């Protein structure tokens, strides 16, 4: 056998949407039922927002807007030891976000927001990425479909 690729595998952490913002999403994950926290602090953390539910065989989209502040740092809990319950928090900053635009699971469109040298850029199919700053109203609309969030450790 020959190993051809090595490195960290980015496994997304599934979290429920919260209108309390990104920190609210992380806090709700941390305090649900049992205590949740990372066992290691990766340099890049991928969060998958659980936007879809299935009820009696029918899939529905949860459009709870998650207020995303482009420059925001969030505190992510990390266990101090693998066999303990003590946690510390580490700062992470939003670096990229994938958005689903559309009313349901079976249709829609994906776009991405990317932070490059501190500035946000918005991407779309068949067009060049464009600088977005805070993106104004468009950014607000995209928050309803934020789906995959990539955060970098500070």
């Amino acid at each position: 056998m020959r190993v051809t690729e090595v490195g960290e595998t980015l496994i997304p952490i599934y979290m429920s949407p919260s209108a309390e913002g990104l920190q609210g999403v992380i806090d709700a994950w941390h305090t649900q039922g049992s205590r949740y926290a990372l066992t290691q602090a990766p340099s890049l953390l991928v969060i998958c927002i659980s936007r879809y539910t299935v009820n009696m065989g029918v899939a529905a989209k949860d459009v709870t807007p998650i207020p995303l502040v482009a420059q925001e740092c969030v505190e992510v809990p990390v266990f101090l030891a693998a066999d303990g319950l003590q946690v510390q928090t580490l700062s992470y900053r939003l670096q990229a976000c994938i958005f689903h635009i559309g009313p349901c699971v079976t249709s829609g469109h994906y776009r991405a927001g990317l932070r490059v040298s501190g500035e946000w850029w918005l991407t779309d199919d068949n067009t060049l990425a464009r600088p977005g700053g805070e993106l104004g109203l468009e950014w607000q609309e995209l928050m309803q479909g934020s789906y995959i969030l990539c955060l970098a450790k500070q």
Side-chain angles (χ1 to χ4, degrees):
M1 177 168 47
R2 187 176 85 166
V3 176
T4 59
E5 295 182 37
V6 296
E8 286 185 9
T9 300
L10 299 175
I11 300 172
I13 298 172
Y14 287 83
M15 298 183 184
S16 298
S18 168
E20 301 299 317
L22 184 51
Q23 187 65 60
V25 168
I26 293 166
D27 292 345
W29 168 77
H30 173 57
T31 58
Q32 64 179 316
S34 302
R35 180 176 269 191
Y36 282 70
L38 302 177
T39 56
Q40 297 178 28
S43 56
L44 184 65
L45 176 62
V46 179
I47 296 174
C48 180
I49 303 298
S50 300
R51 286 283 179 196
Y52 303 100
T53 59
V54 178
N55 186 9
M56 298 179 63
V58 178
K61 182 177 178 181
D62 183 338
V63 294
T64 302
I66 300 171
L68 298 174
V69 179
Q71 302 301 324
E72 174 182 34
C73 276
V74 293
E75 297 299 313
V76 178
V78 180
F79 285 118
L80 289 174
D83 59 350
L85 293 177
Q86 285 189 310
V87 297
Q88 65 178 347
T89 58
L90 298 176
S91 288
Y92 281 80
R93 183 182 308 270
L94 186 62
Q95 288 297 121
C97 185
I98 298 172
F99 308 95
H100 178 261
I101 302 164
C104 62
V105 179
T106 57
S107 66
H109 182 68
Y110 289 93
R111 296 178 80 180
L114 310 167
R115 181 196 303 268
V116 179
S117 300
E119 183 178 9
W120 280 92
W121 290 71
L122 186 64
T123 65
D124 203 346
D125 295 342
N126 301 321
T127 60
L128 294 173
R130 61 183 173 85
E134 288 289 329
L135 297 175
L137 187 57
E138 189 171 15
W139 183 259
Q140 302 301 316
E141 291 172 7
L142 291 173
M143 288 189 304
Q144 292 181 359
S146 55
Y147 177 55
I148 305 286
L149 307 173
C150 299
L151 295 94
K153 188 166 72 171
Q154 298 301 291

